[in-house]
């Protein structure tokens, strides 16, 4: 029987605070069927906004947005919040690598995005599902 740490993989996908776009590092999802994507914010300046989306790639170099895999825009009223979403990988048209892209606009927003990879028999609890047609 495998230990929990052998069944799950945890990877930092992206993070920052300055105005601009951060393209996170690619995460190899081979061998996993689900990803729990965790977005955590810290301090958001009064006019700051944050948009975070998930992209995929077959080769960890050419990236495309995953349809329906984006968090609702966060604003200054979303200081110190955690948003969690579940992304089905197997049979959902998601290619082998995923990454997060964060866009901070107008003013600074502290944030980090982490992924926890697992399989259907160990689904993440208390998550919302990204929709993908």
């Amino acid at each position: 029987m495998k230990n929990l740490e052998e069944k799950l993989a945890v990877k930092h996908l992206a993070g920052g605070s300055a105005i601009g776009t951060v393209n996170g590092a690619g995460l190899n999802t081979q061998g996993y069927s689900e990803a729990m994507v965790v977005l955590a914010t810290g301090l958001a300046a009064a006019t700051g906004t944050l948009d975070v989306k998930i992209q995929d790639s077959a080769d960890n170099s050419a990236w495309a947005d995953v349809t329906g895999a984006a968090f609702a825009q966060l604003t200054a009223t979303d200081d110190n919040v955690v948003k969690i979403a579940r992304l089905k990988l197997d049979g959902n048209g998601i290619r082998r690598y995923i990454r997060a892209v964060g866009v901070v606009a107008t003013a600074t927003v502290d944030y980090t995005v982490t992924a926890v990879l697992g399989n259907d028999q160990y689904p993440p609890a208390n998550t919302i599902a990204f929709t993908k047609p």
Side-chain angles (χ1 to χ4, degrees):
M1 186 163 140
K2 292 185 177 183
N3 294 326
L4 183 60
E5 59 271 7
E6 294 173 8
K7 297 174 185 172
L8 300 175
V10 180
K11 171 83 172 177
H12 173 75
L13 292 180
S17 64
I19 295 172
T21 300
V22 172
N23 293 319
L27 173 60
N28 185 349
T29 65
Q30 185 175 11
Y32 298 97
S33 61
E34 294 186 322
M36 180 176 66
V37 181
V38 181
L39 167 61
T41 65
L43 181 63
T47 59
T49 63
L50 172 64
D51 294 285
V52 174
K53 63 184 176 182
I54 302 299
Q55 294 184 326
D56 71 349
S57 171
D59 60 4
N60 203 23
S61 66
W63 297 93
D65 294 349
V66 175
T67 302
F71 288 95
Q73 185 179 69
L74 300 175
T75 65
T77 60
D78 297 308
D79 276 350
N80 301 307
V81 299
V82 175
K83 303 286 184 177
I84 301 172
R86 185 174 176 184
L87 182 62
K88 294 285 289 175
L89 303 171
D90 285 352
N92 204 18
I94 306 294
R95 296 178 295 173
R96 181 174 176 174
Y97 296 89
I98 61 170
R99 74 175 182 182
V101 176
V103 179
V104 174
T106 312
T108 60
V109 179
D110 294 331
Y111 74 98
T112 187
V113 183
T114 304
V116 180
L117 299 178
N119 292 302
D120 288 333
Q121 64 268 34
Y122 304 102
N126 301 320
T127 61
I128 59 169
F130 282 134
T131 58
K132 184 170 184 325

